[in-house]
Amino acid sequence: MLSWLVSIADTILAAVFTFIGFFVLLWTFTMAGILQDENGKVLHCETSNTGVESCYMKEFGIVD
């Protein structure tokens, strides 16, 4: 009886995590498409000490 309940709980948890993971994956690809243009540059924003935010296109690099 107990293994049957554990099996059902495991199936439910797997379904929930798969559902959440799908939306995280979709959000990631959507944000990557919005922030990156066709030349491999990404939108990079910095806030100065005065609170002014400046944004510019920057080459994408893994080591930034």
Side-chain angles (χ1 to χ4, degrees):
M1 176 72 175
L2 182 62
S3 64
W4 183 73
L5 290 175
V6 170
S7 176
I8 290 176
D10 183 42
T11 303
I12 292 171
L13 283 175
V16 168
F17 285 133
T18 302
F19 186 74
I20 292 171
F22 174 74
F23 282 106
V24 168
L25 185 68
L26 186 65
W27 179 81
T28 302
F29 281 114
T30 302
M31 292 306 292
I34 291 171
L35 295 177
Q36 186 171 0
D37 72 354
E38 64 275 1
N39 296 323
K41 295 181 179 179
V42 293
L43 182 64
H44 183 74
C45 296
E46 294 178 342
T47 305
S48 66
N49 294 336
T50 59
V52 177
E53 185 177 44
S54 62
C55 298
Y56 54 92
M57 297 304 287
K58 179 180 171 184
E59 287 289 330
F60 176 77
I62 294 175
V63 191
D64 277 335

